[in-house]
Each structure stands twice: as structure tokens, then as C-alpha cells.
Amino acid sequence: VEPNARIREIRLMFHKLYPRWYPARQSIKLDPKGKSLRDEEILQHLPVGTTATLYFKDLGPQIGWTTVFLIEYTGPLFIYFLFYFRMPFVYGLDERFTSSPHPVVNLACICHSFHYIKRLIETVFVHRFSHGTMPLRNIVKNCLYYWGFAAWLAYYINHPLYTPPSYGKKQINFAVIMFLLCEAGNFSIHVALSDLRRYGSKTRKIPYPTKNPFTWLFFFVSCPNYTYEVGTWISFTIMTQCVPVGLFTLLCFIQMTIWAKDKHCTYLREFKDYPSLRMPIIPFLL
Amino acid sequence: MAASGSGSSRADNGYGSQPPRRRKGPGALATAYLVIYNVVMTAGWLVIAVGLVRAYLAKGSYHSLYYSIEKPLKFFQTGALLEEYLLIAKYLPGIVPSSVVLTAFQVMSRVFLTWAVTHSVKEVQAEDSVLLFVVAWTITEIIRYSFYTFSLLNHLPYLIKWARYTLFIVLYPMGVSGELLTIYAALPFVRQSGLYSISLPNKYNFSFDYYTFLILVMISYIPIFPQLYFHMLHQRRKVLSHTEEHKKSE
């Protein structure tokens, strides 16, 4: 192998020798316990002598991030409809294909569907992923989680015995406005992050606020996309006044806080001049 | 469920008292606290054991012994929650070898049985199945806590180690049977009283059926119990054969 070869080429060569292990599945390291080497790394820049020993680990069958997201988000979209349209097997034959007398139920369906359609569009047109793939096993776990919760909360919202919010129209209108603002915010952040990685670059850069007011949250928070996402789900909880939605919101919040803290730590490690005012997910607090 | 498993590959001791290069053992103060804690827990479960024996001798039958040890049982079983919290919050860094997940499972299931089933459904307290799991837990915990105590003091009698990694073979299925039978016995009373259940319509748009939940809990034993049991068997092979090699090399 040439000294100026990239890891990517080594992976391709390895794949030719062992067709079973395609490049995305290979984890190549300098040290058995070390981190996996990136594709762009050049052999001679690595701390090796005249001969290099590389360790290979099989990461298992992989699946592309885009594919994963598409599957994860299409599920809840259609599952919700099964409940909204009251398929016979859901609420019993007597209630089949009936519709709810409450306008908020229709509104909830529109909002829920809008949210997932937006996510699907973003996955296809906006997101730029740093890792191409993830292990196949994850998709079963993730789908169970997203699809399961979608079914659970759709069941209660579209139930014939559903009770609309206690504070009526005021509560619903407030929730809708909050929902729209958070969705717009979330979208703005995704676009801003995607712009940081134009021209297929895979390096990390510090995101900054732009002219779009929604991105001004970057002054206070490292991961405003998560902040807005939690806001969306809080608004949905208020709109439907439904405990399962609240529980889902809580779990999302916990998960996203973990991700935000990770991201925040990574930023702090990589950039010496990282803005010190920023918190991971909630301004000044968390 | 019987004795919790030892998750690490360092087999002989409960607590880290290895040659310094391997793992940092607990400091002297931490060790003191841990020894006191484990001695107290051993004593507690001994109290329960003695209480059972005395009640049996007094009554002449083994039925309805639950009432005589109800309070200490609740106290010491719930005390294990503290232990679990400390493990999870890592206030016991690298000290206890047991896998956090496994012991968490066990503690949760025991506390669930104690409070959410036996305490909550008064009608099952006189059942023999309750005695079955109480006896299994008592013997297991006495051995487990004395195992930890001796390990911390670096004087672990082989008998205790042997007991911990062998008796579970009988005690574990015994405990599980007692637990399952008790939950099963509680079912009709839960159905009748609607215990811990909420139904639609209500303004929180939520429903929960404790009866179905209990059935799901029972079903969950099917995948979980064999895994824990085989894990313990695996640990047993590792621990007990490791000791033999140690003895041979001395």
C-alpha cells in the first residue's frame, strides 16, 4: 500500500479481499481498544513506522442513516392514520370509520402528520450526515420506540371517549401557535446546520446565529434544534391534554438532553473559542 | 429472585481488593461504611429468618407466617433500593462487581412484589406462595450480604463463596415460583377491586389496567428468568474453577 493512501482506499482493498465486509462495516483501528479511523486519514500522517499494523473489527450489517430515518418517520405517519380513521380492529366494529365530534382531534392529526412529513422532507433534502451508516440492529429498537409510541398516543387522542382540553379554545390556540413557532424554529436550525456543511464537507464547524430570528437561540444554546423539538412536543401535549403524549415528551426530552450534552462536550473539546454563554439545550439551565 | 450475579471477570472477591495495578479498591472510610452497611443488612435478614422460625414454632404450622415478619421484610427489602441507587449513581465506584442492570432488575422486582403485590393486595398475604419467596429471599440475602462483608474484610471463607454460587440453583427457581404464584393469586382481587387502575373517559386521556399489567409482568419472567439463571450458572463455573486453579498454584 502506498504511504499516502487514505483509509478509504484501504477499506476498498479489504472489501475486495473479503467481499462480505463492505467498507461501511469495517472498523479499522491502530489499536484494538482505540477509536476507529476515519476515511480521510492518510497513512503516512498516522503515528506508524515503516510498517503499520491495523486492526479490523466487524461492525455488523449496516444501514444508511437516510434509510433509517425514512423508515422511522413514515411509520408513525401512517400508524396515526389507522387510529384517526378508526380502522375496525382498533376501537371495535361499532366505532369503525366514525369520526370524532371534537375539532381538536382533527387539528391534532394535522399537526402530528405535518411534523412527520416535515421530518421526512428534511431527511431527504436538508440533513447532511457525518456518519454514513448505523448498525442494522438499531433500526429494530428505534422503530419499536417511535412506532410504538405513535400508536399509543394516537390510540388515546382518537378514542371515542376522548376528553378535549380543560381550558378549551384558549388552550388549543395557544398550543397551535407554540407548535408552529417551534416547527419553524426547528426547521430554521436544520437549514442553518446544513449550510455549515455545504459542498460535502464532513468537518465540524461552530454554528452561529444568522439573520433568521429563530436561529438567535444559538446565542444561548448549542443544540437549538433539540430545544425547538421539545417545544413542539410540549405544545402537542398541551393541545391534546393527554398523559401518553406527555410521557413521550418527557422521554424525548431526556434523550435529547443526553444528545445535546454530548454534542456540547464535543464542541467544547474541539473548539477553544467556543462561546461560553451557551448551554446544551435549555438557555442558562441545562 | 435469588442471588445477584457477579458481573466482572475478577472472580474471587465481592469488593475490589485486588493488586493495586488492576483496579482501585475502596478507600478505608468507604470500606468501613460498606462493612457496616453489609453487616446491618445481614443482621436484618437474620432477624427475618429468626422471626420466621419462631413464628413457625409458636403456631405449629407454616401457614400465614408473613404477618410476623412483615415489617422487617419491607424495611430491609426496600433498603436494597438504596444500595441500587448508590450503584447506579456511581457512589460505589468499581466496588461491587455485580452488573448494575441485573441487580437493578432484581431489586425492582423484589420491591414490586413486596409493595405492589403483597402489601397492596391484602388477600394474598396468607398464601403459602408468599412464604416460598420470603424463605428464598431470606436465605439468599443472608449469604449475599455476608459474602460482601467478608470480601471487604479480605477473609472470605470458601464456604460462603460456595454457598452464594451454588444455593441459587435451588433458591432461584423457588423464589421465582413463589413470586409468580403470588401474583397469580392476586389477579382476581385486582380485577374485582380495580386496584391501581384508571379507565376512560377522564380529563387526562389515559387508561391503565393493573390486571393486564400484572399478567404482562408474569409473562416477562419467561424471557428474563432463564437469562439470569444461566448467567449465574456461568458465573459459578468461572468463580469456582478459578478458585481451584488458585489453590493448585499455591
Side-chain angles (χ1 to χ4, degrees), chain B residues 8-185:
Chain B
S8 79
S9 54
R10 309 174 299 108
D12 352 23
N13 287 340
Y15 294 117
S17 38
Q18 293 291 307
R21 353 174 208 113
R22 286 274 216 103
R23 227 192 314 202
K24 243 182 25 169
L29 189 63
T31 311
Y33 275 129
L34 283 170
V35 169
I36 294 174
Y37 174 77
N38 283 298
V39 165
V40 166
M41 293 306 267
T42 313
W45 285 94
L46 277 168
V47 161
I48 294 172
V50 166
L52 282 172
V53 170
R54 284 179 58 177
Y56 171 65
L57 290 174
K59 282 199 191 179
S61 90
Y62 60 83
H63 299 297
S64 306
L65 294 182
Y66 169 76
Y67 302 101
S68 37
I69 43 88
E70 182 179 359
K71 284 207 179 43
L73 177 71
K74 285 179 179 167
F75 181 77
F76 287 101
Q77 188 55 75
T78 315
L81 263 180
L82 170 69
E83 184 185 330
E84 191 55 32
Y85 167 70
L86 290 176
L87 252 183
I88 294 178
K90 305 235 171 97
Y91 289 124
L92 302 177
I95 292 179
V96 184
S98 321
S99 144
V100 177
V101 176
L102 286 181
T103 45
F105 244 134
Q106 241 166 261
V107 171
M108 296 316 301
S109 84
R110 295 248 195 108
V111 169
F112 180 76
L113 248 303
T114 310
W115 289 100
V117 180
T118 315
H119 167 79
S120 306
V121 186
K122 305 228 177 322
E123 295 86 341
V124 305
Q125 288 169 1
E127 291 279 333
D128 289 343
S129 53
V130 175
L131 181 66
L132 202 57
F133 71 75
V134 170
V135 169
W137 293 0
T138 308
I139 301 178
T140 309
E141 295 298 75
I142 293 174
I143 298 175
R144 181 166 80 97
Y145 285 116
S146 41
F147 175 88
Y148 286 156
T149 311
F150 284 117
S151 304
L152 278 170
L153 299 173
N154 277 322
H155 282 117
L156 181 64
Y158 182 73
L159 179 65
I160 302 271
K161 176 152 70 172
W162 179 89
R164 184 189 172 186
Y165 283 101
T166 306
L167 294 182
F168 79 89
I169 295 178
V170 165
L171 291 175
Y172 204 17
M174 191 173 144
V176 167
S177 312
E179 292 172 24
L180 284 175
L181 285 168
T182 309
I183 299 178
Y184 185 71

